[in-house]
Amino acid sequence: MDAVYLHGPGDLRVDDVDRHPVSAGTVAVDIEYTGICGSDLHEYEVGPVPIRAETIDHSIPESDWDEYLPKPMGHEIAGTVSEVGDNVDDVGVGDRVTLNMVIACDDCRYCATGKYHLCEQGDGGVVASRGFADRTVVPASMAVPVPDEVSLRHAALAEPLGVSLRGVRRSSLEPTDRIAVFGAGPIGLGVVAGAAAAGAREICVSEPRAARREAAAALGADVVIDPTVDDAVEEIRRETDRVDVSFECAGTAATLTDALRSTAYGERVVVLSVFEEEVPIHPNDIMQAERELVGSFGFQGGPLVPRSEFATALDYLADGRIDPEPMLTGTVPLEETEATFERLGDPDSDLIKVLVEP
Ligand SMILES: [Zn+2]
Ligand SMILES: [Zn+2]
């Protein structure tokens, strides 16, 4: 069968690969839609990107790439269960599912407390799921049933929306809060939608691409700023006298500092971006203003986490609190995956979230 693999920076191919057989405890899913994630684009840009990996300074040396490449791509998956292995009780053939791809060893100190997204097993590794293909086989525990009200097209967004909702949760947002979001890609837009659903009082968004500013406004932003025209920090200060919470969703040195300086003293900045390189910040922006800089990685989901962000994303899609339509800018067939990666990387492109329909 055909599946998309990364062979190196700028080198994405549709490879002819073996179908994985179903074994005990696993299910096969016929994939309907798989979203192209910012992290997929990031790896297409720079090569395999590790999770945490503090010991190797957050990048895998090129000499070790052989271990990871070719790397199967695509993890924002929705489809229908087509086969189940032995000892699978919770899902059956024909069930509509979306996949919670969190890696968990069930053994480390983080898994023991339900923080599967921080599992040590993930450290230094890469996310390697084969979502840009017409079929995948996964542990049955990863297959999360999709509520009837949610289309599979929207269900493919449960993963990125879970990431955004985790950021909102990490911010401890309150209904009286004014917020700023830097970067209106799919994660930033999910933060806008999630913060609006959580009752944020006023939402400012800074984003250079016009199509993304429009989507932000449609999803609940009150103020949209083009940072190539206006000084985002000045605009936000004028509008809000500094925000109570800001979200860094662009992954650049400028947006990180802007997020800090737009935030009121004593308040919180949440970083959701994966940065492509080390960036300088002035620690005095944290210390002298008593600001908190908080990380938000992935999302919670799994057996010990009944209040997971993944499940919440599906609930919000089901009850209409989040309508992701403004960020969905099309579906493409498998063969057009690489061309679409190229277009998404083009700063003049109007594309936001694109789904591959294998
Ligand atoms: Zn993703
Ligand atoms: Zn673990």
Side-chain angles (χ1 to χ4, degrees), residues 17-341:
V17 295
D18 291 339
R19 291 163 78 89
H20 294 152
V22 167
S23 56
T26 69
V27 298
V29 175
D30 284 352
I31 298 173
E32 204 82 33
Y33 298 103
T34 298
I36 299 176
C37 180
S39 65
D40 296 324
L41 298 172
H42 189 179
E43 293 194 306
Y44 180 66
E45 192 76 29
V46 302
V49 172
I51 295 169
R52 290 184 292 277
E54 291 166 354
T55 54
I56 50 170
D57 206 17
H58 303 284
S59 71
I60 296 169
E62 213 174 316
S63 53
D64 292 347
W65 282 4
D66 281 357
E67 231 180 279
Y68 298 98
L69 299 177
K71 174 188 178 301
M73 300 288 279
H75 58 266
E76 302 179 355
I77 302 167
T80 307
V81 175
S82 57
E83 226 182 304
V84 300
D86 291 338
N87 309 324
V88 173
D89 302 319
D90 295 341
V91 276
V93 171
D95 286 359
R96 299 157 73 245
V97 295
T98 180
L99 304 186
N100 168 1
M101 302 302 291
V102 171
I103 306 162
C105 71
D106 265 332
D107 200 34
C108 71
R109 59 181 289 184
Y110 307 103
C111 287
T113 53
K115 294 175 182 164
Y116 303 108
H117 62 301
L118 300 178
C119 174
E120 282 173 352
Q121 200 74 40
D123 272 15
V126 300
V127 176
S129 52
R130 206 162 73 174
F132 299 133
D134 63 8
R135 178 186 197 258
T136 189
V137 174
V138 294
S141 58
M142 284 184 175
V144 180
V146 173
D148 290 344
E149 301 85 346
V150 181
S151 65
L152 286 178
R153 211 168 133 262
H154 286 182
L157 296 172
E159 196 265 0
L161 286 173
V163 172
S164 299
L165 289 175
R166 174 135 196 93
V168 174
R169 198 172 182 186
R170 293 282 290 155
S171 77
S172 303
L173 177 75
E174 291 178 31
T176 49
D177 287 345
R178 295 182 162 105
I179 73 162
V181 180
F182 291 83
I187 297 301
L189 289 171
V191 168
V192 170
R201 181 174 166 196
E202 184 172 12
I203 301 174
C204 305
V205 173
S206 173
E207 162 61 47
R209 298 194 205 184
R212 295 177 178 215
R213 288 196 303 276
E214 271 168 43
L219 287 163
D222 302 289
V223 178
V224 290
I225 300 156
D226 178 353
T228 64
V229 174
D230 293 309
D231 182 318
V233 177
E234 246 174 56
E235 289 296 312
I236 290 165
R237 282 188 195 170
R238 181 162 49 234
E239 185 67 32
T240 66
D241 190 22
R242 297 184 207 264
V243 289
D244 304 289
V245 178
S246 65
F247 297 88
E248 201 295 312
C249 306
T252 70
T255 47
L256 183 54
T257 289
D258 283 359
L260 282 163
R261 293 181 180 171
S262 302
T263 303
Y265 306 144
E267 303 296 348
R268 185 172 280 196
V269 176
V270 182
V271 177
L272 289 94
S273 302
V274 177
F275 284 71
E276 271 169 26
E277 57 191 4
E278 208 172 330
V279 300
I281 55 168
H282 206 305
N284 290 355
D285 283 332
I286 300 169
M287 188 280 280
Q288 290 176 340
E290 289 197 346
R291 293 185 179 108
E292 291 174 48
L293 188 60
V294 169
S296 182
F297 174 70
F299 53 86
Q300 280 195 296
L304 294 178
V305 200
R307 289 171 62 232
S308 80
E309 293 97 16
F310 194 84
T312 304
L314 283 172
D315 280 354
Y316 280 17
L317 288 168
D319 68 19
R321 258 179 285 187
I322 292 182
D323 173 7
E325 216 45 53
M327 72 169 88
L328 276 171
T329 50
T331 56
V332 296
L334 203 64
E335 315 77 82
E336 286 175 28
T337 307
E338 182 167 31
T340 309
F341 270 51

